[in-house]
Amino acid sequence: MLVTLVQRYIKGLERDWNKHGTSITKMWVTKEGKLVSQSVDAFVDKNTGDVYKPASWNAPAKGVRYNLFDDIDYLENNCGSGHLYMK
């Protein structure tokens, strides 16, 4: 279930980036739960589905921004640039 939610989240990110004229050529999820394109786009807790903005390449910022189980419909359609920074 979480894998499907992460895939939907990634599709939303890709659609938003492409809409703004910036292309994500490849995005993947690491073992640590990082969503990575050219940099770390977000961290996803594999146990809870919590989504964090990155504080650095290796660590999420404190404070949950979204939860994939609760907020996937919003994230899939509103991954606007900076969506992790506005909440």
Side-chain angles (χ1 to χ4, degrees):
M1 172 95 179
L2 185 58
V3 170
T4 302
L5 295 175
V6 169
Q7 290 171 340
R8 287 176 61 190
Y9 181 34
I10 289 173
K11 284 184 182 183
L13 287 168
E14 289 173 339
R15 186 178 53 247
D16 183 70
W17 278 76
N18 292 336
K19 181 172 64 177
H20 289 92
T22 306
S23 177
I24 293 178
T25 56
K26 184 176 182 182
M27 180 175 276
W28 67 95
V29 180
T30 69
K31 288 188 294 186
E32 298 80 24
K34 292 184 250 185
L35 293 180
V36 180
S37 55
Q38 295 171 343
S39 62
V40 178
D41 291 289
F43 283 86
V44 176
D45 184 311
K46 294 179 182 180
N47 297 315
T48 64
D50 290 339
V51 178
Y52 299 85
K53 71 178 183 177
S56 69
W57 179 262
N58 294 315
K62 292 181 181 178
V64 175
R65 297 303 172 148
Y66 299 98
N67 180 280
L68 290 180
F69 293 106
D70 299 332
D71 303 315
I72 189 58
D73 291 329
Y74 174 80
L75 289 172
E76 187 175 35
N77 296 302
N78 298 288
C79 286
S81 179
H83 70 285
L84 295 173
Y85 297 87
M86 293 184 216
K87 190 167 183 180

